[in-house]
Amino acid sequence: MTGIENILILPFKDMSVVFGENEDARCPVCGKVFTTGEVVESASDVLTEHMFSLLKDRTDIELIPSSQAQGVMSILLTEKNKELHDRDLLVEIGRALNADAVVAGYIYRFRERVGGKYSADSPASVAFDIHLVRVVDRRLLWSGHFDETQRPLSDDLLELGTFLKRRARWITAKEMAISGLNDMFKSFPSSTNTSTNQ
């Protein structure tokens, strides 16, 4: 990522609050459509903290934590700026904190499993996406998307690898989200790679 040294990590935004549950919601950055659903209260913190942990050991970038953005976001979200497109808002927040790029995530569903590890009445269901936007030109440098509801192996034999990876059990929403983030960030660009993953 040429010219990207400081990256601002913003907290994940709960899109079920914006659109309501069981609605088709379009991502405000990339336009991809997700079906919204229940989002448990801890979801934003779980995803934001794990995303930060995945990037904090990178030697080619310096992270600006989301806590530093709270005041700036409050100021920018005034009547004057309510009409700002989400990508423009991300850029303005990044510019105010001298960031070269901003990482922003949106949560559409984070529904917890109902039942036990080996017998679930209702499986975990998680959907979110993440975007890396360069401040200087608003360019989308990278995107990652995750949208999954766990299903029994009998419904889809093509998921055998995932089923075995999860030790043949029903997982929690947090476990599903962490696994999705880990896989997603394998493609996060390095200083020599600026390709967009969509």
Side-chain angles (χ1 to χ4, degrees):
M1 294 181 292
T2 306
I4 304 296
E5 296 178 1
N6 302 305
I7 297 181
L8 171 62
I9 306 292
L10 289 179
F12 275 76
K13 183 175 181 179
D14 180 352
M15 300 304 281
S16 72
V17 171
V18 177
F19 291 96
E21 293 185 19
N22 302 312
E23 299 288 341
D24 288 336
R26 188 174 298 278
C27 172
V29 175
C30 71
K32 187 173 175 66
V33 175
F34 297 85
T35 301
T36 60
E38 177 189 357
V39 175
V40 300
E41 191 175 331
S42 61
S44 177
D45 289 341
V46 166
L47 288 169
T48 305
E49 288 168 13
H50 191 67
M51 180 169 66
F52 191 89
S53 73
L54 289 171
L55 292 174
K56 69 180 174 61
D57 293 329
R58 291 273 300 260
T59 57
D60 57 332
I61 55 175
E62 184 174 328
L63 299 183
I64 303 170
S66 59
S67 58
Q68 293 190 28
Q70 297 301 326
V72 174
M73 289 172 71
S74 297
I75 292 168
L76 289 173
L77 288 173
T78 59
E79 288 296 325
K80 180 176 123 180
N81 291 305
K82 278 194 175 173
E83 299 305 315
L84 272 180
H85 184 276
D86 267 57
R87 194 182 298 191
D88 293 326
L89 181 60
L90 300 180
V91 166
E92 289 301 317
I93 296 168
R95 187 173 289 132
L97 291 170
N98 296 314
D100 299 313
V102 176
V103 174
Y106 299 88
I107 310 171
Y108 303 90
R109 285 190 321 281
F110 201 103
R111 187 184 71 216
E112 196 49 85
R113 174 191 74 198
V114 177
K117 292 181 181 179
Y118 301 103
S119 176
D121 297 324
S122 177
S125 183
V126 175
F128 62 88
D129 62 357
I130 302 170
H131 309 286
L132 175 67
V133 178
R134 187 162 57 195
V135 170
V136 68
D137 58 3
R138 299 177 65 255
R139 182 180 171 201
L140 183 60
L141 298 179
W142 173 86
S143 284
H145 310 97
F146 183 82
D147 189 347
E148 183 180 345
T149 299
Q150 189 174 13
R151 295 185 292 171
L153 182 62
S154 58
D155 283 5
D156 191 351
L157 291 174
L158 296 176
E159 294 296 321
L160 179 61
T162 302
F163 180 75
L164 295 175
K165 181 179 170 184
R166 293 171 175 168
R167 301 191 297 270
R169 63 187 178 87
W170 294 96
I171 62 173
T172 66
K174 180 178 179 179
E175 289 171 322
M176 180 180 282
I178 296 298
S179 174
L181 272 173
N182 290 341
D183 289 342
M184 186 183 294
F185 272 83
K186 290 174 183 174
S187 69
F188 193 83
S190 66
S191 57
T192 58
N193 178 11
T194 57
S195 61
T196 303
N197 173 36
Q198 296 195 61

